[in-house]
Amino acid sequence: MKEFTYEKVSTIEEAVSAASKNENARYLAGGTNLLDLMKLEIEKPAHIIDISRIGLDQITPTADGGLKIGALVSNTNLAADKRVRKDYGVLSRALLAGASGQLRNKATTGGNLLQRTRCPYFYDTNQACNKRNPGEGCAAIGGHTRSLGVIGTRTECLATYPSDMAVAMALLDARIETLKIDGTARSIDFKDFHQLPGETPQIETSLTPGELITSVLLPPPLEGKHYYHKVRDKASYAFALVSVAAVLQPDGSGKIAVGGIAAKPWRSEAAERLLPSGAGLVAAKLLEGASATEENKFKLKLVENTIASIITQNKA
């Protein structure tokens, strides 16, 4: 691990002020991803800003009937909240499908949104990776790609985004509230937060340097049955090969979001409009433009089958 300086702050304002004064600073909350990456010398911050004591750990109702989730609310507390379980079941189910109980106790809402890919080539510093070292190349091209992306990819990067929570939040049309280092607050549509690789795979979100996530806003609850199906190689300690979050009505209409196939949760309103027509048409529209490899092309059918299982369950 590289040497770094450490600072503990007690307010949001102190946090962004510290970030403004220190180049290459990182915020530390639960640390479930950042510390691992620092040990591997993938993340090499010069300064750590400990934000674990600045508040932001409450879930409060909003005037429009939604919920405001503080960025430091733990995954455990968010999944267990009575309002989330009652009105946002898809979110609670997605959280419980992720990681282990111990990790959920430490992992935070904001940190979950910022976790980095679990691509094996990203984690192996002996392999070329454009996320770690822009312009170095992508060792996944021509390598083992079974777990990697099938849509929204480029030759620069095939990595997928690993969060379960984010797939549900994408479905729910959440918004992310932040504070920039100049003191400016802003609100970001969830669909605009995570970035596809393009020619800059090292840029994974729309955050500016030092910008701090303060909360996530959930709109009023979606009526209908809530589902989260996660398909993985083993029942625990495994990230999704494909995951599908859905809220469906009795007539089969509704919304879906898919994880495990791209560098961000994947949604298509055009595909959602086809839900009453069946999983085949939905998957075909959702995956338009897909570019799978021989190793991961099974994901295309797996998306269809997972959507089909939810549609069947909804009819039961």
Side-chain angles (χ1 to χ4, degrees):
M1 185 182 291
K2 297 289 186 181
E3 290 187 0
F4 58 90
T5 53
Y6 172 87
E7 177 180 3
K8 181 177 287 188
V9 295
S10 56
T11 68
I12 301 169
E13 291 75 19
E14 287 180 6
V16 294
S17 175
S20 71
K21 297 172 184 175
N22 293 276
E23 188 175 355
N24 192 22
R26 294 288 190 279
Y27 296 118
L28 175 68
T32 58
N33 189 209
L34 176 62
L35 293 180
D36 284 344
L37 294 173
M38 289 174 64
K39 291 174 184 177
L40 294 169
E41 296 189 8
I42 294 171
E43 288 276 7
K44 304 173 187 177
H47 188 67
I48 291 292
I49 304 165
D50 187 338
I51 60 171
S52 60
R53 299 292 186 271
I54 66 173
L56 302 180
D57 57 354
Q58 300 297 311
I59 304 171
T60 55
T62 58
D64 66 354
L67 289 178
K68 181 176 182 177
I69 303 163
L72 296 184
V73 172
S74 73
N75 286 181
T76 293
N77 288 343
L78 182 57
D81 186 90
K82 290 182 179 179
R83 295 160 295 185
V84 174
R85 292 174 62 189
K86 176 179 178 290
D87 295 327
Y88 302 93
V90 64
L91 177 57
S92 183
R93 292 182 178 95
L95 285 160
L96 293 173
S100 64
Q102 296 93 329
L103 285 171
R104 291 195 296 270
N105 287 342
K106 291 293 292 181
T108 62
T109 300
N112 190 301
L113 296 175
L114 294 174
Q115 65 179 302
R116 305 198 67 186
T117 182
R118 263 54 177 194
C119 172
Y121 297 100
F122 172 74
Y123 270 79
D124 185 349
T125 55
N126 293 313
Q127 302 289 337
C129 176
N130 285 318
K131 278 190 179 295
R132 288 197 321 270
N133 300 300
E136 185 177 66
C138 175
I141 305 296
H144 296 293
T145 58
R146 184 173 185 275
S147 65
L148 300 182
V150 297
I151 195 165
T153 56
R154 292 275 299 244
T155 55
E156 289 85 359
C157 185
L158 302 181
T160 55
Y161 173 65
S163 171
D164 292 289
M165 182 193 78
V167 182
M169 286 187 169
L171 176 82
L172 295 168
D173 293 312
R175 296 188 66 85
I176 298 171
E177 294 190 315
T178 70
L179 187 67
K180 300 171 76 170
I181 59 174
D182 64 0
T184 303
R186 67 169 174 152
S187 180
I188 307 169
D189 281 340
F190 203 90
K191 62 182 175 60
D192 298 325
F193 184 73
H194 297 103
Q195 304 294 299
L196 294 177
E199 296 179 357
T200 55
Q202 76 277 14
I203 299 175
E204 297 175 339
T205 74
S206 58
L207 293 179
T208 58
E211 190 169 2
L212 176 68
I213 297 174
T214 57
S215 61
V216 176
L217 295 179
L218 297 182
L222 287 175
E223 296 295 331
K225 291 184 179 180
H226 289 220
Y227 302 92
Y228 189 75
H229 285 199
K230 180 177 181 178
V231 184
R232 45 189 165 174
D233 282 327
K234 55 184 180 178
S236 62
Y237 296 101
F239 294 95
L241 293 170
V242 164
S243 61
V244 177
V247 176
L248 299 182
Q249 306 302 319
D251 65 359
S253 63
K255 294 185 176 184
I256 60 169
V258 180
I261 62 171
K264 61 186 295 183
W266 201 258
R267 277 190 69 185
S268 164
E269 292 184 3
E272 290 173 349
R273 289 193 290 270
L274 295 172
L275 274 166
S277 302
L281 290 175
V282 173
K285 177 60 70 172
L286 183 81
L287 296 168
E288 277 186 347
S291 180
T293 68
E294 281 299 311
E295 277 195 2
N296 67 15
K297 65 182 181 181
F298 73 93
K299 286 192 176 190
L300 305 179
K301 188 63 176 178
L302 189 56
V303 169
E304 179 182 342
N305 290 347
T306 307
I307 295 171
S309 72
I310 292 174
I311 292 174
T312 299
Q313 187 176 344
N314 191 59
K315 292 178 179 178

